[in-house]
Amino acid sequence: MSSPLDLTGPEERTERTEAQAPADSAERPSEHETPSRASQAPAEPSDAVDAADDDGFDDDDDSEDAGPEVSDEIQRATEALKAAEAEDAQAAAEAGDEAEEPEAVILEPEPEPAANEPELHAPTTTRTGEPAEIDPDEMDPDALKVVLRLHQHGHQAYLVGGCVRDLLLGKKPKDFDVATSAHPGEVRAIFRNCRLIGRRFRLAHVYFKGGKIVEVSTFRANPTELEPAPGAAGAEEGQSGEDLLITHDNVFGTAQQDARRRDFTINGLFYDAAEGRVIDYVRGRRDLDERFIRTIGDPEIRMREDPVRILRAVRFAAKLDLDIESRTYAAMEGAVEDLPRCAPARLLEETFRLIRGGVSAPALKLLAALDSLKILLPPVDEYLRENGKEGEKTFYAFAQALDKRVSAGEVLDDAILLATLLVPISRAQPPVEESQDEGRASVSRVIEDLLAGFVESARLPRRIAERCRMLLLMQRTLSGERRRKTGAFRRHPLFNEALAVFTMTVEATGEGREALDAWQAGEVPPPRAGANSAGDAEGPRRKRRRRRRRRGNGSGEGGGSGSDRPASSGSDAGEG
């Protein structure tokens, strides 16, 4: 996933990206630094210093809140996360000139219909008197309003793609998209609450109350089906067959061309709400009835045009419980080698959509069968190959625990999703020793490389990578592998997220139930047998005695410059 090629997807999106947990800290406690008691302590009057020092112990020894401490590695990871958030914010600010500034959307009241204007409503029967193929009550009323208003102004307009497919399967669509013969500027002229987005291909977003958006696209044609202009370079040499990868998709077309340019027959269905009938240019109804996923056109060509269709087919098969037609599956196997040619960011987003959809276990099994995990998630592929059947059982148990949470309606941060799938790899490999350059402890090298690759080539926000890294580090304390001495660990901003990952670990492995129950009850579990602590490598940790400051007239006489030196342990413990 290191290819720098940036490719815009050729097919009309049939489903918008599913609800994603916020990557920022807008809905959770701010992820600022873990408080250091030494830095927070206010300056004390000299008369009170001796009394405060009578205990002879360092401020870090918090007897009333004894428990696991935020270890040095987690403190360093917290600082790295803060730096990542600042870096992402700066990058977003610098990219402001390239990105479209969101316009303020003013929802104006709908105009009063004219006296001779027909009422906007979807019929419940067709012209022949038969019931409408899809009950209007099952459709989104605002999407219907958009379709009927476009009809009213003389344009073709249909509900398209995933919403039609899901309604015919008896499922509730997540969103409703519209395709029309109207050009983007014409759509904006019809709807007051509309703005255009996109640079290379304009789309119209029609806004409604509650933040709902109905996306309206103009019919497009597949550029590979267009006849080359006479005399065009390569027109007579058939060069188009040598490299089928689509790098542009900006051509307006007809409704039939728009249906044919889509990826799979089940996504090429249109619904004419004004007539109450399904329009099927690609025999999608047949494949829905037979429960098959089949490409529109030659599967070899369609998969080579856009190898990301491999991931889309896997997602639909897992989500809708459909089978992949044999020729389509064979074409997917052959196109796996072309996945590195796609934009890494697009591959990563499609991979996350698989995980967010609550079907990560069956989807990842299918990707493994296609031998595509070596490109999408190399550490997972390596783990499955090295650990055989037992490794597969463990990994997919984690995926199933994650799917159970998502299917129950929990909205999980991308960092939690990724960390949960990486826990088995993290448990199987030792962490990397502390880097001399970065001064921080690490998770296993393969995970470090994966996260760094996602950030560098796939545009994963660095804060997501650092969150994932921290959640994996914190599992060592939650499981009792590392033990420290203060309660700051429980107050860490990512404690709840780390505990969620640990909960799924317990569900997947059956291990650590007592520790989990203790954490959830607000208690500190007993240390695990052989648990490691920060001082294990150097023998038992000695409590540091604070060096007393001498009272004086401020000249420093007798005290020298000792107040500027760090407190000492060992030989300095009895000074003063």
Side-chain angles (χ1 to χ4, degrees), residues 17-29:
T17 303
E18 297 166 7
Q20 175 180 352
D24 295 316
S25 54
E27 297 183 9
R28 58 173 58 88

Side-chain angles (χ1 to χ4, degrees), residues 439-512:
R440 65 179 189 176
S442 303
V443 289
S444 63
R445 172 56 60 194
V446 292
I447 294 178
E448 291 285 350
D449 292 344
L450 176 72
L451 296 177
F454 282 166
V455 171
E456 292 171 8
S457 63
R459 289 185 257 173
L460 178 71
R462 190 177 157 215
R463 66 181 180 277
I464 298 296
E466 289 295 339
R467 279 175 184 264
C468 177
R469 187 173 169 280
M470 284 190 62
L471 294 177
L472 292 173
L473 287 173
M474 295 171 77
Q475 300 308 300
R476 302 173 64 189
T477 300
L478 288 168
S479 64
E481 181 180 344
R482 287 185 64 90
R483 308 302 296 177
R484 296 287 294 207
K485 277 195 176 177
T486 70
F489 177 75
R490 187 184 292 280
R491 297 191 295 270
H492 193 280
L494 288 184
F495 174 79
N496 289 332
E497 286 85 344
L499 189 60
V501 175
F502 185 58
T503 301
M504 287 183 275
T505 298
V506 173
E507 293 174 358
T509 64
E511 302 172 359

Side-chain angles (χ1 to χ4, degrees), residues 237-296:
E237 301 177 9
Q239 294 179 357
S240 61
E242 297 180 5
D243 189 355
L244 301 174
L245 193 71
I246 292 178
T247 57
H248 67 283
D249 190 19
N250 302 344
V251 184
F252 290 134
T254 65
Q256 185 170 2
Q257 288 175 322
D258 190 78
R260 291 190 56 79
R261 60 164 284 284
R262 294 170 183 269
D263 48 9
F264 305 108
T265 59
I266 59 173
N267 293 335
L269 297 169
F270 291 5
Y271 187 72
D272 187 345
E275 296 288 336
R277 64 188 180 94
V278 174
I279 300 176
D280 185 3
Y281 295 111
V282 294
R283 300 186 70 182
R285 290 296 294 271
R286 175 202 62 185
D287 288 334
L288 272 184
D289 293 340
E290 296 177 357
R291 303 193 68 78
F292 273 132
I293 295 175
R294 189 192 312 266
T295 58
I296 298 173

Side-chain angles (χ1 to χ4, degrees), residues 6 40 114 224 236 299 324 330 375 378 389 403 405-406 455 474 539:
D6 191 2
Q40 287 183 339
T224 62
E236 298 179 358
I324 300 176
I375 298 170
K389 294 294 184 182
D403 291 341
R405 287 292 190 96
V406 174
V455 171
M474 295 171 77

